PDB file of all heavy atoms in Angstrom:
ATOM      1  N   GLY A 144     -58.598  59.438  97.930  1.00 96.00           N
ATOM      2  CA  GLY A 144     -59.894  59.278  98.647  1.00 96.00           C
ATOM      3  C   GLY A 144     -61.009  59.688  97.847  1.00 96.00           C
ATOM      4  O   GLY A 144     -61.950  60.305  98.441  1.00 96.00           O
ATOM      5  N   GLY A 145     -60.997  59.469  96.521  1.00 92.00           N
ATOM      6  CA  GLY A 145     -62.095  60.049  95.672  1.00 92.00           C
ATOM      7  C   GLY A 145     -63.148  59.063  95.448  1.00 92.00           C
ATOM      8  O   GLY A 145     -63.554  58.248  96.359  1.00 92.00           O
ATOM      9  N   MET A 146     -63.740  59.061  94.238  1.00 91.00           N
ATOM     10  CA  MET A 146     -64.976  58.331  93.918  1.00 91.00           C
ATOM     11  C   MET A 146     -64.793  56.798  94.050  1.00 91.00           C
ATOM     12  O   MET A 146     -65.610  56.187  94.754  1.00 91.00           O
ATOM     13  CB  MET A 146     -65.360  58.645  92.473  1.00 91.00           C
ATOM     14  CG  MET A 146     -66.587  57.877  91.979  1.00 91.00           C
ATOM     15  SD  MET A 146     -67.040  58.369  90.337  1.00 91.00           S
ATOM     16  CE  MET A 146     -65.833  57.452  89.329  1.00 91.00           C
ATOM     17  N   ILE A 147     -63.722  56.267  93.489  1.00 95.00           N
ATOM     18  CA  ILE A 147     -63.616  54.820  93.508  1.00 95.00           C
ATOM     19  C   ILE A 147     -63.260  54.376  94.960  1.00 95.00           C
ATOM     20  O   ILE A 147     -63.647  53.263  95.365  1.00 95.00           O
ATOM     21  CB  ILE A 147     -62.485  54.283  92.551  1.00 95.00           C
ATOM     22  CG1 ILE A 147     -62.533  52.778  92.319  1.00 95.00           C
ATOM     23  CG2 ILE A 147     -61.134  54.667  92.922  1.00 95.00           C
ATOM     24  CD1 ILE A 147     -63.578  52.319  91.298  1.00 95.00           C
ATOM     25  N   ALA A 172     -54.654  61.685 101.436  1.00 97.00           N
ATOM     26  CA  ALA A 172     -55.081  62.605 100.317  1.00 97.00           C
ATOM     27  C   ALA A 172     -54.461  63.925 100.518  1.00 97.00           C
ATOM     28  O   ALA A 172     -53.830  64.212 101.568  1.00 97.00           O
ATOM     29  CB  ALA A 172     -56.638  62.653 100.291  1.00 97.00           C
ATOM     30  N   ARG A 173     -54.691  64.818  99.503  1.00 94.00           N
ATOM     31  CA  ARG A 173     -53.932  66.082  99.597  1.00 94.00           C
ATOM     32  C   ARG A 173     -54.738  67.101 100.372  1.00 94.00           C
ATOM     33  O   ARG A 173     -54.114  68.038 100.948  1.00 94.00           O
ATOM     34  CB  ARG A 173     -53.744  66.625  98.181  1.00 94.00           C
ATOM     35  CG  ARG A 173     -52.504  66.149  97.518  1.00 94.00           C
ATOM     36  CD  ARG A 173     -52.427  66.680  96.143  1.00 94.00           C
ATOM     37  NE  ARG A 173     -53.770  66.569  95.478  1.00 94.00           N
ATOM     38  CZ  ARG A 173     -54.021  66.996  94.252  1.00 94.00           C
ATOM     39  NH1 ARG A 173     -53.110  67.585  93.535  1.00 94.00           N
ATOM     40  NH2 ARG A 173     -55.267  66.849  93.682  1.00 94.00           N
ATOM     41  N   THR A 177     -61.326  66.229 101.419  1.00 96.00           N
ATOM     42  CA  THR A 177     -61.558  64.858 100.787  1.00 96.00           C
ATOM     43  C   THR A 177     -61.711  63.804 101.881  1.00 96.00           C
ATOM     44  O   THR A 177     -62.568  63.007 101.850  1.00 96.00           O
ATOM     45  CB  THR A 177     -60.291  64.499  99.947  1.00 96.00           C
ATOM     46  OG1 THR A 177     -60.074  65.561  99.011  1.00 96.00           O
ATOM     47  CG2 THR A 177     -60.453  63.156  99.238  1.00 96.00           C
ATOM     48  N   LEU A 220     -55.464  56.857  92.822  1.00 95.00           N
ATOM     49  CA  LEU A 220     -55.177  58.182  92.308  1.00 95.00           C
ATOM     50  C   LEU A 220     -55.614  58.282  90.833  1.00 95.00           C
ATOM     51  O   LEU A 220     -55.720  57.264  90.172  1.00 95.00           O
ATOM     52  CB  LEU A 220     -53.636  58.472  92.385  1.00 95.00           C
ATOM     53  CG  LEU A 220     -52.965  58.523  93.728  1.00 95.00           C
ATOM     54  CD1 LEU A 220     -51.485  58.521  93.587  1.00 95.00           C
ATOM     55  CD2 LEU A 220     -53.462  59.724  94.504  1.00 95.00           C
ATOM     56  N   ASP A 222     -55.205  58.479  86.910  1.00 90.00           N
ATOM     57  CA  ASP A 222     -54.310  57.532  86.130  1.00 90.00           C
ATOM     58  C   ASP A 222     -52.855  57.980  85.954  1.00 90.00           C
ATOM     59  O   ASP A 222     -51.922  57.191  86.165  1.00 90.00           O
ATOM     60  CB  ASP A 222     -54.848  57.446  84.645  1.00 90.00           C
ATOM     61  CG  ASP A 222     -56.295  56.930  84.610  1.00 90.00           C
ATOM     62  OD1 ASP A 222     -56.852  56.522  85.685  1.00 90.00           O
ATOM     63  OD2 ASP A 222     -56.821  56.766  83.483  1.00 90.00           O
ATOM     64  N   LEU A 224     -51.000  59.568  87.832  1.00 95.00           N
ATOM     65  CA  LEU A 224     -50.128  59.615  89.052  1.00 95.00           C
ATOM     66  C   LEU A 224     -49.762  58.229  89.503  1.00 95.00           C
ATOM     67  O   LEU A 224     -49.116  58.069  90.472  1.00 95.00           O
ATOM     68  CB  LEU A 224     -50.935  60.416  90.120  1.00 95.00           C
ATOM     69  CG  LEU A 224     -51.361  61.820  89.814  1.00 95.00           C
ATOM     70  CD1 LEU A 224     -52.068  62.478  90.997  1.00 95.00           C
ATOM     71  CD2 LEU A 224     -50.111  62.697  89.381  1.00 95.00           C
ATOM     72  N   HIS A 225     -50.326  57.219  88.850  1.00 97.00           N
ATOM     73  CA  HIS A 225     -50.118  55.776  89.257  1.00 97.00           C
ATOM     74  C   HIS A 225     -48.630  55.413  89.319  1.00 97.00           C
ATOM     75  O   HIS A 225     -48.126  54.794  90.289  1.00 97.00           O
ATOM     76  CB  HIS A 225     -50.888  54.833  88.462  1.00 97.00           C
ATOM     77  CG  HIS A 225     -52.374  54.867  88.560  1.00 97.00           C
ATOM     78  ND1 HIS A 225     -53.228  54.042  87.840  1.00 97.00           N
ATOM     79  CD2 HIS A 225     -53.185  55.683  89.257  1.00 97.00           C
ATOM     80  CE1 HIS A 225     -54.503  54.346  88.195  1.00 97.00           C
ATOM     81  NE2 HIS A 225     -54.461  55.360  89.048  1.00 97.00           N
ATOM     82  N   VAL A 242     -55.678  50.512  91.135  1.00 97.00           N
ATOM     83  CA  VAL A 242     -56.859  50.592  90.307  1.00 97.00           C
ATOM     84  C   VAL A 242     -56.432  50.642  88.864  1.00 97.00           C
ATOM     85  O   VAL A 242     -55.274  51.028  88.584  1.00 97.00           O
ATOM     86  CB  VAL A 242     -57.743  51.748  90.656  1.00 97.00           C
ATOM     87  CG1 VAL A 242     -58.327  51.641  92.071  1.00 97.00           C
ATOM     88  CG2 VAL A 242     -57.029  53.058  90.508  1.00 97.00           C
ATOM     89  N   LYS A 243     -57.298  50.225  87.984  1.00 95.00           N
ATOM     90  CA  LYS A 243     -56.929  50.225  86.560  1.00 95.00           C
ATOM     91  C   LYS A 243     -56.874  51.698  86.025  1.00 95.00           C
ATOM     92  O   LYS A 243     -57.601  52.517  86.602  1.00 95.00           O
ATOM     93  CB  LYS A 243     -57.907  49.426  85.717  1.00 95.00           C
ATOM     94  CG  LYS A 243     -59.294  50.059  85.545  1.00 95.00           C
ATOM     95  CD  LYS A 243     -59.410  51.099  84.500  1.00 95.00           C
ATOM     96  CE  LYS A 243     -60.547  52.103  84.769  1.00 95.00           C
ATOM     97  NZ  LYS A 243     -60.412  53.346  84.076  1.00 95.00           N
ATOM     98  N   HIS A 271     -61.830  44.881  87.896  1.00 97.00           N
ATOM     99  CA  HIS A 271     -62.853  44.067  88.682  1.00 97.00           C
ATOM    100  C   HIS A 271     -63.795  43.292  87.757  1.00 97.00           C
ATOM    101  O   HIS A 271     -64.361  42.374  88.223  1.00 97.00           O
ATOM    102  CB  HIS A 271     -63.571  44.881  89.727  1.00 97.00           C
ATOM    103  CG  HIS A 271     -63.988  46.252  89.205  1.00 97.00           C
ATOM    104  ND1 HIS A 271     -63.533  47.423  89.701  1.00 97.00           N
ATOM    105  CD2 HIS A 271     -64.910  46.535  88.273  1.00 97.00           C
ATOM    106  CE1 HIS A 271     -64.145  48.438  89.090  1.00 97.00           C
ATOM    107  NE2 HIS A 271     -65.001  47.959  88.207  1.00 97.00           N
ATOM    108  N   HIS A 329     -61.749  48.273  79.754  1.00 95.00           N
ATOM    109  CA  HIS A 329     -62.358  47.192  80.473  1.00 95.00           C
ATOM    110  C   HIS A 329     -62.697  46.068  79.521  1.00 95.00           C
ATOM    111  O   HIS A 329     -62.493  44.878  79.849  1.00 95.00           O
ATOM    112  CB  HIS A 329     -63.646  47.666  81.137  1.00 95.00           C
ATOM    113  CG  HIS A 329     -63.393  48.383  82.397  1.00 95.00           C
ATOM    114  ND1 HIS A 329     -62.804  47.792  83.475  1.00 95.00           N
ATOM    115  CD2 HIS A 329     -63.667  49.652  82.696  1.00 95.00           C
ATOM    116  CE1 HIS A 329     -62.759  48.684  84.464  1.00 95.00           C
ATOM    117  NE2 HIS A 329     -63.234  49.869  84.032  1.00 95.00           N
TER     118      HIS A 329
HETATM  119  N1  NAD B 233     -64.161  50.794  86.829  1.00 76.31           N
HETATM  120  C1  NAD B 233     -63.032  51.068  87.326  1.00 76.31           C
HETATM  121  O1  NAD B 233     -62.110  50.231  87.413  1.00 76.31           O
HETATM  122  C2  NAD B 233     -62.724  52.458  87.817  1.00 76.31           C
HETATM  123  C3  NAD B 233     -63.805  53.256  88.064  1.00 76.31           C
HETATM  124  C4  NAD B 233     -63.541  54.554  88.561  1.00 76.31           C
HETATM  125  C5  NAD B 233     -62.231  55.006  88.648  1.00 76.31           C
HETATM  126  N2  NAD B 233     -61.222  54.115  88.425  1.00 76.31           N
HETATM  127  C6  NAD B 233     -59.831  54.619  88.526  1.00 76.31           C
HETATM  128  O2  NAD B 233     -59.536  55.003  89.872  1.00 76.31           O
HETATM  129  C7  NAD B 233     -58.643  56.076  89.829  1.00 76.31           C
HETATM  130  C8  NAD B 233     -59.203  57.266  90.683  1.00 76.31           C
HETATM  131  O3  NAD B 233     -60.400  57.622  90.069  1.00 76.31           O
HETATM  132  P1  NAD B 233     -61.531  58.429  90.881  1.00 76.31           P
HETATM  133  O4  NAD B 233     -62.723  58.449  90.020  1.00 76.31           O
HETATM  134  O5  NAD B 233     -61.597  57.894  92.244  1.00 76.31           O
HETATM  135  O6  NAD B 233     -60.860  59.884  90.906  1.00 76.31           O
HETATM  136  P2  NAD B 233     -61.102  61.091  91.978  1.00 76.31           P
HETATM  137  O7  NAD B 233     -60.674  62.327  91.279  1.00 76.31           O
HETATM  138  O8  NAD B 233     -62.482  61.044  92.520  1.00 76.31           O
HETATM  139  O9  NAD B 233     -60.119  60.747  93.117  1.00 76.31           O
HETATM  140  C9  NAD B 233     -58.723  60.844  93.073  1.00 76.31           C
HETATM  141  C10 NAD B 233     -58.192  61.130  94.481  1.00 76.31           C
HETATM  142  O10 NAD B 233     -56.759  61.223  94.457  1.00 76.31           O
HETATM  143  C11 NAD B 233     -56.432  62.264  95.335  1.00 76.31           C
HETATM  144  N3  NAD B 233     -55.040  62.734  95.014  1.00 76.31           N
HETATM  145  C12 NAD B 233     -54.658  63.350  93.847  1.00 76.31           C
HETATM  146  N4  NAD B 233     -53.339  63.635  93.907  1.00 76.31           N
HETATM  147  C13 NAD B 233     -52.929  63.132  95.142  1.00 76.31           C
HETATM  148  C14 NAD B 233     -51.682  63.131  95.807  1.00 76.31           C
HETATM  149  N5  NAD B 233     -50.567  63.574  95.294  1.00 76.31           N
HETATM  150  N6  NAD B 233     -51.547  62.506  97.069  1.00 76.31           N
HETATM  151  C15 NAD B 233     -52.697  61.992  97.628  1.00 76.31           C
HETATM  152  N7  NAD B 233     -53.938  62.030  97.065  1.00 76.31           N
HETATM  153  C16 NAD B 233     -53.985  62.563  95.858  1.00 76.31           C
HETATM  154  C17 NAD B 233     -57.528  63.268  95.176  1.00 76.31           C
HETATM  155  O11 NAD B 233     -57.545  64.153  96.203  1.00 76.31           O
HETATM  156  C18 NAD B 233     -58.738  62.387  95.128  1.00 76.31           C
HETATM  157  O12 NAD B 233     -59.159  62.042  96.402  1.00 76.31           O
HETATM  158  C19 NAD B 233     -58.322  56.387  88.354  1.00 76.31           C
HETATM  159  O13 NAD B 233     -57.113  55.733  87.962  1.00 76.31           O
HETATM  160  C20 NAD B 233     -59.527  55.799  87.638  1.00 76.31           C
HETATM  161  O14 NAD B 233     -59.243  55.411  86.309  1.00 76.31           O
HETATM  162  C21 NAD B 233     -61.437  52.849  88.033  1.00 76.31           C
END
Side-chain angles (χ1 to χ4, degrees):
M146 179 178 75
I147 193 84
R173 276 177 315 178
T177 306
L220 295 168
D222 299 359
L224 304 180
H225 292 182
V242 297
K243 72 81 204 160
H271 45 245
H329 282 298

